[in-house]
Amino acid sequence: MKNQVEERFTEFFEKWVCQLDEYLQQLLRVSKEGSSNESEQAALVSKLTAHYKEYYTVKWALAHEDVLVFYCPVWVGTLEIAYSWVTGWKPSMIFRLVDSMRKTRIAGARLAELTEQQVTKIEELRLKIRLEEEKVEREMERQQVAVADRKAVELARLTSRVSNGEATQIDGLVEVALKGLMSGLEKVMKAADCVRLKTLKGILDILNTSQSVNFLAGTCMLQIRLRQWGQKRDGQYAK
């Protein structure tokens, strides 16, 4: 049974993905038309950027109420969870996607026309993002190790030996300890999300408008198809 945060975010996410699919169709259309209507392309890129920002705005607001549901999301399939990195996609994946799109068309879109200067800037961004990923991973490791620190172990010992008269006091201490752990996990989640947003913005700042349309078409297609493949697989095993 879902709690309120799970229900609210599931409802939001399903609508968000449907809108993402609509944007994908628009991206594919303008990509085929080429650079004949740059103003329309720029407007669509702006809409996609706002759409992604909306996702994180809603996510952060609900995570403040219950961050744990985002570490065990019920609104995505097992395949999406398997490729998840700190409650979302791993930023360095974007650079692999760019590499692939330079060689292969994804949904009819390709990035073969990158200049040497653009390639250099993307490589510089790749190195910066990797360092930020490592920073997030170190903080996540620190949070995980904190579960077994001296205070937590002492609380576990006291809880196992508590008498009825001390139960309320111990419960209060446990609540404070858990609140600290949740706060730490929320901090790590937001840090990871910031790296994701920084990666998207960094790539879009390097690409021109037409290239941005192709790039976003590839990212949307990959996200939607991964979700569809996972749902199909989960449906087969559920029978």
Side-chain angles (χ1 to χ4, degrees), residues 177-212:
L178 288 177
K179 187 175 181 179
L181 291 173
M182 298 307 102
S183 178
L185 290 174
E186 183 181 355
K187 178 182 177 182
V188 176
M189 183 201 76
K190 286 185 177 181
D193 288 342
C194 285
V195 180
R196 284 184 265 270
L197 287 169
K198 186 178 293 186
T199 303
L200 281 176
K201 183 180 185 303
I203 292 292
L204 291 175
D205 286 346
I206 294 170
L207 303 179
N208 62 36
T209 304
S210 179
Q211 292 168 336
S212 294

